[in-house]
Amino acid sequence: MVVRRGLVCSLLLAGLLAASPASATITVTLDPSAQVVPLAAPYAEVDIVADIPEADQIVAWGLDLSYVSSIVDLWGGGWSTAVQVNTALFDPATAADGDDLAGLVPLGDPTVWGSGVVLATVRFVPQSIGISPLTLSDDNAFNGLGPDLTEGFALNPPPTGNFAEVVYVPGSIEVVPEPASIALLALGGLALIRRR
């Protein structure tokens, strides 16, 4: 009798696991993924966009965004002024690491999922000519001190530390000389050639 109960329980558990939806993968991209801005531009805007499968409905998110600060820097001098979280879907939050790339689904609201979900917009100010990669990441993996529970995509139902699998697609901003500077350089080059 005990053997049969154990077998029945094992079969029921296997059936429940097989019936539960498999976790899909969230994809996070930048829009535009690559852009060219003149050095004299007041700023460059980049949307952080996620494709969130229904199987991975989220209740919160938190990210890190790295860039080359000598080429582009945060508009207004910091995360709190440069980041605009999509307040139609999320309550803005400040992550433990000090950036404002985080959002919470308001209490009582449904979870969020769908294609092309705009998480936030970030503004960058051109600093010098060059290309800055824009790299998104999170650090919710166990790192010896424990996971950082303020980053990643928290699933619903949310047992603490239950995060979705995420693929991050990098982007870039290329800062180029403004057209007037290029024209002056070209005229200077022509003058040097003509002088010879």
Side-chain angles (χ1 to χ4, degrees), residues 30-189:
L30 298 166
D31 185 27
S33 61
Q35 64 178 301
V36 178
V37 296
L39 185 57
Y43 58 82
E45 279 189 345
V46 179
D47 286 337
I48 301 173
V49 180
D51 289 335
I52 305 168
E54 186 174 3
D56 278 343
Q57 297 177 45
I58 64 164
V59 294
W61 60 272
L63 301 172
D64 284 331
L65 176 61
S66 60
Y67 55 92
V68 179
S69 61
S70 61
I71 296 173
V72 293
D73 208 353
L74 295 172
W75 179 78
W79 290 107
S80 60
T81 54
V83 175
Q84 296 176 350
V85 171
N86 179 358
T87 56
L89 297 175
F90 305 102
D91 287 335
T94 301
D97 57 8
D99 64 34
D100 291 321
L101 276 172
L104 305 170
V105 174
L107 289 177
D109 283 1
T111 55
V112 173
W113 61 277
S115 240
V117 175
V118 176
L119 303 175
T121 301
V122 183
R123 285 184 177 170
F124 292 98
V125 177
Q127 299 291 310
S128 65
I129 296 167
I131 298 175
S132 173
L134 302 176
T135 307
L136 291 161
S137 64
D138 62 58
D139 186 21
N140 65 17
F142 186 80
N143 60 11
L145 302 172
D148 181 349
L149 298 179
T150 65
E151 292 187 4
F153 286 79
L155 296 172
N156 186 37
T160 302
N162 190 15
F163 292 93
E165 292 291 320
V166 184
V167 172
Y168 295 105
V169 179
S172 66
I173 295 177
E174 181 177 5
V175 179
V176 296
E178 55 268 23
S181 297
I182 294 173
L184 287 175
L185 287 172
L187 286 173

Side-chain angles (χ1 to χ4, degrees), residues 1-8:
M1 189 80 162
V2 172
V3 173
R4 284 188 185 167
R5 279 190 189 157
L7 180 61
V8 169

